[in-house]
Amino acid sequence: MSQRGEEGDVDQLPTGAAPGEPEQQALFGWPDIAAESDAHPAFRDSPEARRMLEVREVYAESAALDSPRGRQIMARLPGVRVTEVANHWRIPSLHGNDGNISRWVRIKTETLVLGVKHTLRTRSNGRSADWIAPGPSNGCAMACAYCYVPRRKGYANPITLFTNIEAIVAHIRRHVRAQGPKTAPNQCDPQAWVYDIGENGDCSVDALVCDNTADLVAAFRGLPTAKASFATKFVNPDLLALDPQGRTRVRFSLMPSDDARLLDIRTSPVAERIAAAADFLDAGYEVHFNLSPVILRPGWQRDWADLLSHLDDVLPARVKQQAAAEIIMLTHNQSLHTVNLGWHPRAEEVLWQPTAQETKRSQNGALNVRYSLDIKRQSLTHLQQLISTRTPWLRVRYAF
C-alpha cells in the first residue's frame, strides 16, 4: 500500500464520547446555526454533516483516485491522508483487524474507501423492488447495530464509494430499456419497474460525499418505465433539490423511538424522518415507509401502536394518500453478534434472543438467525392489526 497526503490524528476520541460506549448523535436537535445572509450553503457543508462524516483518512484504488468522480471527491477533502490499495474489499488494517471493534463508530466517521465496481449485475428481487441494481456504495457512516452489510466485511464497515458511476448508470439504463413497459401490477409498483439503488448503503449519506445519488436520481428521471428506490434513516435536505419528478421512491425507515435510541446509532431521530416526509413528497419524490426492523421485546406492541398513532396524527393527507409500507422482522447473525459485543453490548440484549430465534439460510446464502416461524407469524399478524386500526390508510406492500 502507498500513501498520499498528510498524516491525520485518528486516535482521539470524539468530544463527549465515553470509552467503550457508542457515539449516539442527535443530528437535528441542536440550536439553529446562523447562515450567511447572502449565501445558501449545501447541507453537506454544514456542521451537522461534518459531525456525521469528517473524513481524515481515505483508502483508495488507484483507478478510483484517477476517475472524474474520484477527483471530485478528493477535491472536497484537501489534506486528507490517502492510502492506495489494490482492492477495496481487502484492506487488512480495516477488514481483518479485530482491534477495530472498539473503534467501530470512529472508523465510520473518519474513514472513507474509494473503489471501482467491476461486476455490474442487476438481479431480480420481487419483494421490496422488482430489481436490485448495482449499488453506488457499500457500507455506511451510520452504525445501526442490526445492519446486515458488515456481516461480510469483518471488523470495520465505513463507506466504500464506487467512482465508476457512469458505468453503473449506463448498465441500469440498458437493463431498464431491455424490460420494456411493465405489463402487470405487483406489490412493488402497479406501473413501473422498481430498482433498489441502495441495497448495501444509504444514498442520503452518500450524498454528503459525492454526486452518485444525484446522478442516479437524474438517470431515472429520464426512464419513464422505471422508478428508483432506496431506504434511508438520514434526513439530508440536499436531496430536495434533485428534482426526481416522481421517478424515485424514498423509503424512510421507522421504529419506536426507544428502539432507535438504542439501535439506530448516528441516524436522524425517527420523528425527524417522519417530519421530512411531506418535504420530500413536495420535492417530487414518492414517499413510503419501512417499518424495520421489528424487534420483539417487552412492550413492543405498545410502542409500535404509539408510533403508528404518531404517524396518523402528524402526516398530512397528501402523504397518506400515496404512502405504503414494508414490514421487515429482525434477521441477525452470529458474527455481527460477536462484533456488537465488542462495541455495543447493550444492543445484543434485545437483538440476540436464542430462545425465540432459529437458524435460516438467506437468499444470498448467508447463515443467519430469525424469529421462529410461529413467533414471527403471530407478531406480523399483530402488527398488521395495529396498522389496520391506527393507520388504516397505510397500505402494506410487503411483509417479511
Side-chain angles (χ1 to χ4, degrees):
M1 296 190 292
S2 60
Q3 294 183 346
R4 304 180 184 180
E6 300 177 3
E7 191 80 16
D9 174 12
V10 296
D11 295 321
Q12 179 182 353
L13 279 171
T15 302
E21 290 295 323
E23 184 186 359
Q24 174 66 287
Q25 297 168 335
L27 298 175
F28 296 89
W30 305 341
D32 290 338
I33 298 171
E36 298 178 25
S37 58
D38 59 346
H40 299 282
F43 174 76
R44 67 184 175 195
D45 297 323
S46 69
E48 295 95 328
R50 288 195 296 273
R51 188 168 170 85
M52 165 64 74
L53 192 62
E54 188 168 11
V55 177
R56 298 188 180 187
E57 182 168 42
V58 172
Y59 292 89
E61 297 174 356
S62 59
L65 286 173
D66 293 335
S67 67
R69 182 51 39 89
R71 291 194 296 270
Q72 179 195 59
I73 293 168
M74 293 311 304
R76 295 174 180 157
L77 301 172
V80 169
R81 180 175 68 178
V82 178
T83 300
E84 292 190 18
V85 296
N87 188 296
H88 65 269
W89 273 107
R90 293 190 291 273
I91 306 174
S93 59
L94 283 180
H95 302 146
N97 180 2
D98 60 3
N100 284 331
I101 292 179
S102 62
R103 301 178 64 244
W104 185 260
V105 172
R106 185 165 185 80
I107 288 172
K108 285 174 167 290
T109 308
E110 298 183 345
T111 301
L112 179 67
V113 180
L114 303 182
V116 174
K117 195 175 187 71
H118 295 288
T119 302
L120 300 180
R121 181 172 67 94
T122 293
R123 69 182 196 276
S124 63
N125 180 253
R127 291 178 173 175
S128 175
D130 294 293
W131 305 97
I132 305 297
S137 67
N138 187 294
C140 188
M142 297 182 289
C144 301
Y146 47 81
C147 180
Y148 63 86
V149 176
R151 298 173 192 169
R152 302 189 299 275
K153 296 183 75 173
Y155 301 106
N157 184 38
I159 299 176
T160 296
L161 289 173
F162 299 119
T163 63
N164 56 325
I165 188 63
E166 301 94 339
I168 293 171
V169 168
H171 168 91
I172 293 171
R173 283 191 176 122
R174 288 193 299 270
H175 193 278
V176 170
R177 288 166 181 160
Q179 305 314 308
K182 194 173 193 176
T183 57
N186 61 12
Q187 67 181 21
C188 304
D189 194 84
Q191 296 177 320
W193 296 110
V194 179
Y195 288 72
D196 194 316
I197 60 171
E199 181 189 33
N200 292 318
D202 192 303
C203 292
S204 298
V205 178
D206 294 349
L208 297 177
V209 191
C210 74
D211 294 339
N212 281 1
T213 300
D215 289 343
L216 286 163
V217 171
F220 277 91
R221 194 166 58 225
L223 295 170
T225 63
K227 185 180 294 183
S229 177
F230 65 89
T232 186
K233 301 180 186 73
F234 184 70
V235 179
N236 183 346
D238 290 343
L239 271 59
L240 298 174
L242 298 186
D243 189 26
Q245 298 181 14
R247 307 316 302 171
T248 295
R249 172 186 296 165
V250 174
R251 297 160 13 238
F252 285 106
S253 294
L254 307 178
M255 61 168 55
S257 57
D258 285 349
D259 289 335
R261 280 190 289 269
L262 177 65
L263 304 171
D264 275 6
I265 308 300
R266 311 189 78 237
T267 63
S268 300
V270 171
E272 297 286 350
R273 305 176 209 172
I274 297 170
D279 291 338
F280 275 75
L281 179 67
D282 293 344
Y285 293 90
E286 183 180 41
V287 178
H288 286 190
F289 299 100
N290 279 10
L291 310 182
S292 165
V294 179
I295 311 293
L296 305 184
R297 41 81 178 167
W300 74 270
Q301 301 99 324
R302 176 199 63 235
D303 289 347
W304 275 100
D306 290 345
L307 173 61
L308 293 168
S309 294
H310 178 70
L311 280 175
D312 190 53
D313 290 341
V314 304
L315 289 178
R318 64 188 186 279
V319 174
K320 294 178 181 179
Q321 287 167 1
Q322 56 83 65
E326 301 172 15
I327 304 173
I328 304 174
M329 302 291 292
L330 172 71
T331 299
H332 202 24
N333 175 275
Q334 173 69 60
S335 61
L336 182 59
H337 169 64
T338 301
V339 169
N340 285 348
L341 288 176
W343 76 277
H344 192 13
R346 283 189 56 232
E348 290 306 301
E349 294 175 10
V350 297
L351 295 177
W352 193 254
Q353 303 177 45
T355 59
Q357 291 167 328
E358 63 185 14
T359 300
K360 65 163 286 189
R361 181 73 65 177
S362 294
Q363 282 186 328
N364 61 11
L367 192 64
N368 299 315
V369 296
R370 66 179 176 193
Y371 297 119
S372 66
L373 281 178
D374 286 344
I375 292 174
K376 180 177 178 179
R377 187 179 301 113
Q378 294 169 11
S379 302
L380 280 172
T381 298
H382 187 82
L383 184 53
Q384 289 171 316
Q385 289 172 344
L386 288 175
I387 291 171
S388 68
T389 56
R390 303 295 177 111
T391 53
W393 46 267
L394 186 57
R395 175 172 58 92
V396 176
R397 287 198 303 107
Y398 161 62
F400 175 70

